[in-house]
Amino acid sequence: MGPERTGPSGEDPSQAPGPQGHGSVLKRRTGWGEPGTGQAQPRAGRLRRLATPLGILATVSAAFAYVGTVDPNEPGHYPVCPLLKITGAFCPGCGGLRSAHAFIHGDLGAAFSANAIATTGYFLFAAVWVIWLVRAWRGQPLRIALAPAWWWSIGALLLVFTVVRNLPFGSALAP
């Protein structure tokens, strides 16, 4: 009788595929070496990891270039906000295109005046994108885990912003 076979398919435990075995899921799915083994990651793997953040940057840049070229302050270029058209109330996104146009032309005062939340979002997007790119370069995933309290706070902030910009004393927030 030989040694006892305990692997899932009856193989020797040292040959059983698993997190530390030769057939690791991480290696099969990503092509990367195991963490801490010192294996060099291939250049193609790095380019593949950077493709998504760079593709997002290209798409956002194209959208901003279009909005920077086609002035939303002139009527007829963009559709009217349906909420504004039906109710006459400004939604949290109203003024976002005018804000992006002013932002792309370097007029931060006009951008904040058109939509302060959107302008703040541009800076937040840029910061998160840089973090994403650096983590992708290093082979680390981007994980932004916000507790439910943060999501509720963001929703409450948008609700308050929407209500205040539609009241007479909040007219400075209206586009």
Side-chain angles (χ1 to χ4, degrees), residues 156-169:
L157 175 71
L158 288 173
L159 180 64
V160 168
F161 175 72
T162 303
V163 170
V164 169
R165 75 189 314 208
N166 284 292
L167 295 175
F169 65 85

Side-chain angles (χ1 to χ4, degrees), residues 92-152:
C94 281
L97 288 173
R98 288 185 291 271
S99 172
H101 182 78
F103 186 83
I104 215 65
H105 287 277
D107 190 356
L108 289 181
F112 272 105
S113 176
N115 191 322
I117 293 283
T119 307
T120 304
Y122 306 148
F123 288 109
L124 181 64
F125 171 80
V128 170
W129 183 85
V130 168
I131 292 168
W132 185 17
L133 185 68
V134 169
R135 291 186 65 84
W137 179 266
R138 294 179 180 168
Q140 301 167 336
L142 177 66
R143 290 212 167 55
I144 301 176
L146 294 178
W150 281 101
W151 290 111
W152 284 104

Side-chain angles (χ1 to χ4, degrees), residues 4-148:
E4 201 170 309
R5 307 281 180 174
T6 58
S9 303
E11 69 274 356
D12 195 18
S14 63
Q15 296 175 347
Q20 277 67 27
H22 67 279
S24 139
V25 172
L26 176 67
K27 180 141 178 80
R28 283 194 316 262
R29 289 188 181 167
T30 64
W32 301 345
E34 296 298 322
T37 60
Q39 291 181 353
Q41 297 176 357
R43 185 173 189 178
R46 179 170 284 161
L47 291 175
R48 187 178 54 222
R49 289 191 316 269
L50 294 175
T52 302
L54 293 175
I56 296 294
L57 177 65
T59 303
V60 170
S61 297
F64 266 81
Y66 180 78
V67 172
T69 305
V70 181
D71 190 358
N73 295 306
E74 296 177 17
H77 292 293
Y78 299 98
V80 177
C81 171
L83 183 69
L84 180 62
K85 188 174 184 175
I86 294 170
T87 66
F90 296 116
C91 75
C94 281
L97 288 173
R98 288 185 291 271
S99 172
H101 182 78
F103 186 83
I104 215 65
H105 287 277
D107 190 356
L108 289 181
F112 272 105
S113 176
N115 191 322
I117 293 283
T119 307
T120 304
Y122 306 148
F123 288 109
L124 181 64
F125 171 80
V128 170
W129 183 85
V130 168
I131 292 168
W132 185 17
L133 185 68
V134 169
R135 291 186 65 84
W137 179 266
R138 294 179 180 168
Q140 301 167 336
L142 177 66
R143 290 212 167 55
I144 301 176
L146 294 178

